[in-house]
Amino acid sequence: MDDEPQVLCRKKHIDLQFDETSGDFAFDTDLDPNFIKGYFTADDFLGKNEELSALPKGMSSPEYTVIPEEWESYRYQLPKDFSFKGKLRAFNPKNCKVEDATPMDSLRYSFVDVLGPELGRGYIFIRKKATVLGLKGESEFGMLVSRPLSKSEISEILSHVISTFDSASYEELNSILSLKEISSEESYESKWIVNHLEKTGDLIASLNSLNKDKKKWMQKETALLEEVFCRRNLNTEETVKIISGLGMKLPCTKLGPHLATGDNQKDLEILDRLLTISNSKGILVAGMNLKNALVSAVLSTDYGDFVSTELIALNALSKSFGRLRAIFAIKSATEYDLSKVEESELDSISAEYNSANKSLSVVSPLLAGADNLSELQRYMDLIQNLAEIYSKDVPLERLNGYQFGVGVRRKMESLLRSKLHGTDKLDDLIERAAKNKVITDIEKETFHKIRKFGNGCAHTEDFPALDAKQKKAWVDAVNNLEKRLKKGCKA
């Protein structure tokens, strides 16, 4: 046995390299290439190598064909190396079966893999006699051939896949939306969400789900939501209930005109409900053509049973406006009668005026642009001027025109009655004051002038103004009387 030769065995690897351009192979090894070429053929490496043509997982029943003549450029690929990369997958059931892909009888490929609106490939199965560079012979086995899909082909495939879904189902809507990156439509997402909302049998459930899953879309595309409500012909209460439940606000600029009836009273009730969910209230009112109606409600001192902040404020404004018109006996924006205003009403004047101003600040954005707003503003200007006359915080010196006439007369009468009491007319009161030495004869003449001027101013604002010298003299006369009465002195 010692004379027998010793045999040394070594295992060497030969790596096959696939060329996607030619569909053939080359080999790489650290053995002598001439040794390989002398002892092996292509069939030795390819003929029994089932791994090379093994189908990808989830793919079966391939129908082998030939490369179409119109394919000018294409790429070979070993089936074992293929895996789907895109979200859009379809196959022709006549040529193969593919799991997790959509069947498409009209597909001109065995299957397709699409990553974007202009990025995807179509694949077919072929049998090719492949060679190994440097070796004799060839071996036939199955492989894939693919070429890029055109934009129109991708669009056609996407349309077909989408058509297999029921867009009324929220789950299938999500399947459609998952293909958004495949579409070149900018409005793809909105288009299919709106389509779903118009078809779904449970609108509230769908909106709640979208508000959770697509909150940004819900907040951004409020105009589209309004269109859905309009097309589904939801009434006011249904709409308000849904939007309130979602905790959202809508412009309501489409809903308002859609729900409007043309009857001002009914439309004010609709507006009242929509204001609770609207974030574009001025535009809403304009769209429903209710600006003039709101102003008219104030001018006529009408009010209703409202729930929105703005129309509750409109009610308050109407009530205060009506009470102030009654207190000042206002007949028009230039006609009034202050002769019957009682000192006991001073607190009411202040409270109603403050209420009117506060309410007007709330409702003003809804009234802007109304044709009759200037009329209301003239009334409010008059009421402001009249209220200032009876304000304890406004000194006589700050009053002008008819305001001064009424104000100086009122203060003079108030001072005299605080001293002399009685219910006699002012001219008799002045005479009685002079007789009792409360005022001098000169002051009596001055106070009669103030009385006459004030009487004129108590009925209209259209009264000639005093010159500055005369005004100062009257202010000094009344203020001196006030100081003297506080000290308990006689004239």
Side-chain angles (χ1 to χ4, degrees):
M1 291 183 63
D2 293 339
D3 294 333
E4 290 183 8
Q6 300 292 313
V7 178
L8 179 63
C9 295
R10 290 190 301 165
K11 184 183 288 187
K12 292 288 186 177
H13 287 286
I14 300 175
D15 295 323
L16 286 177
Q17 298 173 339
F18 184 71
D19 186 343
E20 293 184 344
T21 302
S22 66
D24 292 316
F25 295 85
F27 68 89
D28 183 33
T29 181
D30 55 359
L31 292 174
D32 182 355
N34 291 322
F35 169 77
I36 300 298
K37 292 176 183 180
Y39 282 90
F40 297 96
T41 66
D43 191 55
D44 292 327
F45 291 109
L46 305 179
K48 297 180 180 180
N49 195 337
E50 296 180 358
E51 181 185 351
L52 292 176
S53 58
L55 294 176
K57 185 178 179 181
M59 198 174 294
S60 62
S61 306
E63 179 74 24
Y64 294 96
T65 183
V66 295
I67 301 173
E69 293 182 0
E70 66 268 19
W71 285 27
E72 296 180 355
S73 63
Y74 44 85
R75 185 176 72 195
Y76 294 96
Q77 186 173 359
L78 295 176
K80 74 178 186 66
D81 294 334
F82 174 82
S83 63
F84 282 104
K85 297 180 176 62
K87 291 184 177 180
L88 181 60
R89 307 167 184 180
F91 69 96
N92 189 328
K94 300 173 186 176
N95 297 336
C96 65
K97 294 181 180 178
V98 181
E99 294 180 3
D100 299 324
T102 304
M104 183 175 177
D105 291 337
S106 62
L107 193 64
R108 293 182 291 275
Y109 305 89
S110 296
F111 64 90
V112 293
D113 183 21
V114 184
L115 290 81
E118 299 182 29
L119 182 60
R121 297 189 74 83
Y123 295 81
I124 61 173
F125 291 97
I126 67 163
R127 285 195 175 278
K128 183 180 185 300
K129 291 182 179 180
T131 63
V132 179
L133 185 63
L135 301 183
K136 294 178 181 180
E138 57 187 14
S139 182
E140 182 179 280
F141 69 95
M143 64 177 66
L144 293 171
V145 180
S146 67
R147 74 166 181 173
L149 296 171
S150 67
K151 185 176 181 180
S152 61
E153 286 179 312
I154 292 175
S155 178
E156 180 184 349
I157 295 166
L158 176 61
S159 296
H160 170 77
V161 172
I162 290 175
S163 72
T164 66
F165 294 113
D166 178 10
S167 61
S169 161
Y170 187 75
E171 289 184 2
E172 298 202 27
L173 167 67
N174 283 326
S175 297
I176 295 173
L177 295 182
S178 70
L179 300 175
K180 175 183 176 182
E181 61 193 54
I182 309 299
S183 174
S184 58
E185 286 185 86
E186 290 185 9
S187 60
Y188 178 88
E189 182 179 54
S190 294
K191 169 185 172 181
W192 287 107
I193 290 177
V194 169
N195 180 278
H196 166 74
L197 292 175
E198 290 178 356
K199 293 181 178 180
T200 179
D202 193 342
L203 179 62
I204 294 177
S206 291
L207 286 170
N208 283 329
S209 296
L210 283 169
N211 204 31
K212 178 181 177 182
D213 302 334
K214 296 283 183 182
K215 196 169 190 69
K216 287 185 178 180
W217 186 91
M218 292 282 283
Q219 292 173 340
K220 179 182 178 184
E221 302 297 345
T222 51
L224 293 180
L225 288 179
E226 287 193 49
E227 288 183 8
V228 169
F229 293 138
C230 291
R231 290 173 188 168
R232 292 188 67 120
N233 286 320
L234 298 181
N235 62 35
T236 305
E237 289 306 317
E238 289 172 329
T239 301
V240 172
K241 181 179 179 181
I242 291 172
I243 298 305
S244 298
L246 293 170
M248 291 181 61
K249 295 287 186 180
L250 299 181
C252 296
T253 51
K254 295 182 179 180
L255 279 169
H258 173 76
L259 294 168
T261 65
D263 180 293
N264 279 349
Q265 189 55 46
K266 291 180 180 179
D267 288 348
L268 282 175
E269 294 173 3
I270 293 171
L271 172 65
D272 179 49
R273 301 297 290 125
L274 292 181
L275 284 171
T276 63
I277 60 168
S278 175
N279 55 14
S280 296
K281 300 178 180 182
I283 300 176
L284 166 61
V285 175
M288 294 184 71
N289 294 317
L290 289 175
K291 286 182 177 287
N292 290 351
L294 293 180
V295 175
S296 295
V298 177
L299 291 172
S300 59
T301 65
D302 290 336
Y303 49 88
D305 184 16
F306 299 127
V307 296
S308 64
T309 300
E310 292 77 14
L311 295 198
I312 288 175
L314 188 80
N315 270 349
L317 176 59
S318 295
K319 292 175 181 178
S320 293
F321 180 74
R323 289 165 184 160
L324 288 167
R325 284 190 65 172
I327 290 172
F328 296 133
I330 296 175
K331 296 179 180 180
S332 71
T334 58
E335 295 179 279
Y336 52 88
D337 185 358
L338 304 181
S339 62
K340 297 181 180 180
V341 177
E342 302 290 340
E343 290 295 314
S344 61
E345 294 179 305
L346 295 188
D347 289 340
S348 292
I349 291 173
S350 177
E352 296 294 353
Y353 177 66
N354 290 335
S355 173
N357 269 340
K358 183 178 179 180
S359 301
L360 185 59
S361 68
V362 174
V363 80
S364 282
L366 307 188
L367 309 181
D371 297 333
N372 50 355
L373 181 59
S374 59
E375 181 182 0
L376 176 60
Q377 193 58 59
R378 287 195 298 273
Y379 273 108
M380 292 305 295
D381 289 344
L382 173 62
I383 288 172
Q384 177 182 354
N385 290 336
L386 297 179
E388 286 179 353
I389 295 171
Y390 295 92
S391 173
K392 300 174 183 178
D393 300 324
V394 181
L396 291 176
E397 292 86 343
R398 282 181 50 189
L399 299 177
N400 292 294
Y402 72 94
Q403 280 183 295
F404 174 74
V406 176
V408 72
R409 179 191 180 283
R410 183 189 71 82
K411 185 172 182 178
M412 173 195 69
E413 182 175 2
S414 177
L415 290 171
L416 292 177
R417 291 203 186 280
S418 68
K419 177 67 176 177
L420 300 172
H421 308 291
T423 59
D424 44 346
K425 292 182 179 180
L426 182 56
D427 56 349
D428 294 333
L429 180 63
I430 293 172
E431 292 295 331
R432 187 155 61 90
K435 184 177 180 180
N436 291 314
K437 305 299 182 181
V438 174
I439 58 176
T440 65
D441 289 338
I442 295 176
E443 287 177 327
K444 180 181 76 171
E445 292 180 11
T446 299
F447 288 173
H448 275 304
K449 291 179 182 179
I450 291 175
R451 174 182 61 80
K452 292 177 182 178
F453 184 75
N455 285 344
C457 293
H459 300 282
T460 177
E461 60 183 6
D462 187 18
F463 209 80
L466 293 173
D467 59 59
K469 184 177 180 181
Q470 181 71 74
K471 177 182 176 180
K472 184 177 185 306
W474 287 5
V475 169
D476 289 344
V478 173
N479 285 344
N480 286 336
L481 173 61
E482 182 178 27
K483 292 175 184 177
R484 201 163 60 239
L485 292 179
K486 283 182 179 180
K487 294 178 180 180
C489 302
K490 289 191 176 183

